[in-house]
Every structure is written in structure tokens, then in C-alpha cells.
Amino acid sequence: MIFLDSSDPKEIQDISAWGIIAGVTTNPLIIAKEAGNVDLEKRIREVLAVSKGHVSVELTTETEAEMLAEADRYIAWSPGRVCIKVPFSETGMRVLHQLATRGVPTNVTCLMSFNQAYLASLAGATYVSIFSGRVQDMGYDVRPIIEETRLILDREGLASQIIVGSIRHLMDVNEALQSGAHILTVTPPILRKMLWNPRTDETIREFNTAWAKRGG
Ligand code: E4P
């Protein structure tokens, strides 16, 4: 499955028309880059209106009480569709467990290791987000992290789904899927790279030119 890693309603609407987008992930950095000082509620409501499936909205506070209050504010925008993105930490684990116990969809984010993904899955995360590009920035191979996580989820019958995010190259897409990711979250530019091939364009041009020039 593919999620869109974006908060841009126009891009989300355009790409949703391809029929391949099962959900949306946002984060504070994406929203700040795409929309600056936008009102978060307005932006997320716009995203909800043009998408389907879960829309992940990330917590930005850092104490347990603040995070739970922040989560409740976001959930109210569309219960069942807003998925609370919980940054992974000890406090995050407590928040995650409480939200999961209430049946709130959760996406545990900023995961860099198998151990972290395993703990988040045990606590009831709907999604565990492994950050491919950022793991590779540290000089590690992300494939065994995804493979080991998928293995333990399947072996222990844990319900979490692995999202691989922080995708920077097409090879990251291929490797994540081959390693057992359930879902990829990709930015619009990566998605457009997935569909583009110069030989395809050239071939279509050749066919259409021949058709236009045909005699009779
Ligand atoms: C995933 O949910 C995140 O939004 C995202 O993929 C983070 O990636 P980055 O390394 O591009 O910030």
C-alpha cells in the first residue's frame, strides 16, 4: 500500500485521482515547509476532505498530559480518520498505550531500530514508522531492520503495520517493499519518479507520431 507523505491538499487531491493512495502522513516539518505558519486545524481538515483512510497528525508537545490533551484535540477533527502520530520515547510509549487502549489509531514515528519498532508494536501501535533515509544517513542498512520487524510481527501475531518513510530514492522504495514493509509513505516528487520513464515517453511519442503521419 502507498500513503502520501504530504500536507498539500492540492497535491493530495491530484494524486488521489490515480486511485493508489490509501492514507496520508504529515509531520511538523512537512507542514512548516509546505505551508509555513498555517493554522493546523484548517490544514488538516482540508487534507481530510480530499483524501481517504487515515491522516496522521503528529504530536508536538512533550509531557504525557500535554500529549494526551493534544491528541484529543486532533481526534475531534475526525474520529477514526485522524491517526495520532506519536514520537517514540518513554513518554511516547505511555501515551501510545493509553491511546491504543481507547481504540485510537496511532502511528509511532521516528523509529530507527528493530527494538523500537518491536516495543511500539507490543504497546498496540496501529502503524510503526521506520525512517529509511535517516537510518541510512547514520551509515546503517535499513533492510534488516524492516525484515526483522516484519518477522516478529508475523511470528507473534502483532497487528501493527510497518510504514517505511523518509524515502529519498526509488531504490528505497524497492528495498522497503522487498524487506517486508506493509506500507510506503512517499512524497509527491518520489511518486512521480515512480511513474516516469524516458523510454516510455519516447515510445508513446513514436507511436502517436506514426499515427498522425499515416497515409490515407
Ligand atoms: C513519515 O511518516 C515521515 O513523515 C517522513 O517520511 C519523514 O522523513 P524525512 O526524513 O524526509 O523527514
Side-chain angles (χ1 to χ4, degrees), residues 130-143:
I130 298 174
F131 275 31
S132 171
R134 290 181 190 251
V135 167
Q136 295 179 73
D137 284 344
M138 294 186 289
Y140 300 118
D141 186 350
V142 73
R143 288 170 296 181

Side-chain angles (χ1 to χ4, degrees), residues 52-111:
K52 61 173 193 175
H54 285 144
V55 172
S56 290
V57 186
E58 186 158 342
L59 302 177
T60 55
T61 49
E62 295 186 13
T63 68
E64 187 175 334
E66 285 173 327
M67 289 166 86
L68 287 167
E70 190 183 354
D72 282 336
R73 195 157 64 83
Y74 299 162
I75 294 161
W77 298 342
S78 188
R81 283 208 57 210
V82 168
C83 177
I84 301 299
K85 229 179 182 188
V86 182
F88 185 79
S89 70
E90 198 172 326
T91 309
M93 283 291 291
R94 286 198 296 272
V95 170
L96 164 66
H97 183 55
Q98 291 177 62
L99 293 174
T101 305
R102 285 167 43 193
V104 173
T106 50
N107 176 353
V108 180
T109 191
C110 303
L111 301 175

Side-chain angles (χ1 to χ4, degrees), residues 200-215:
T200 300
D201 290 356
E202 198 182 304
T203 304
I204 293 169
R205 243 191 336 271
E206 185 187 337
F207 286 0
N208 289 348
T209 306
W211 185 249
K213 284 186 182 160
R214 77 194 189 283

Side-chain angles (χ1 to χ4, degrees), residues 5 25-27 29-30 85 109 129 131 134 165-166 168 185:
D5 207 16
T25 55
T26 69
N27 71 40
L29 180 61
I30 287 176
K85 229 179 182 188
T109 191
S129 282
F131 275 31
R134 290 181 190 251
S166 186
R168 308 212 177 128
T185 189

Side-chain angles (χ1 to χ4, degrees), residues 31 38-45 57 73-74 77:
I31 297 173
V38 74
D39 176 73
L40 181 65
E41 178 173 353
K42 183 172 172 289
R43 186 76 169 182
I44 297 299
R45 285 189 186 277
V57 186
R73 195 157 64 83
Y74 299 162
W77 298 342

Side-chain angles (χ1 to χ4, degrees), residues 107-108 111 117 120-121 125-130 149 153 160-163:
N107 176 353
V108 180
L111 301 175
S121 304
T126 312
Y127 305 108
V128 289
S129 282
I130 298 174
T149 304
L153 291 181
S160 304
Q161 292 200 299
I162 301 170
I163 300 179

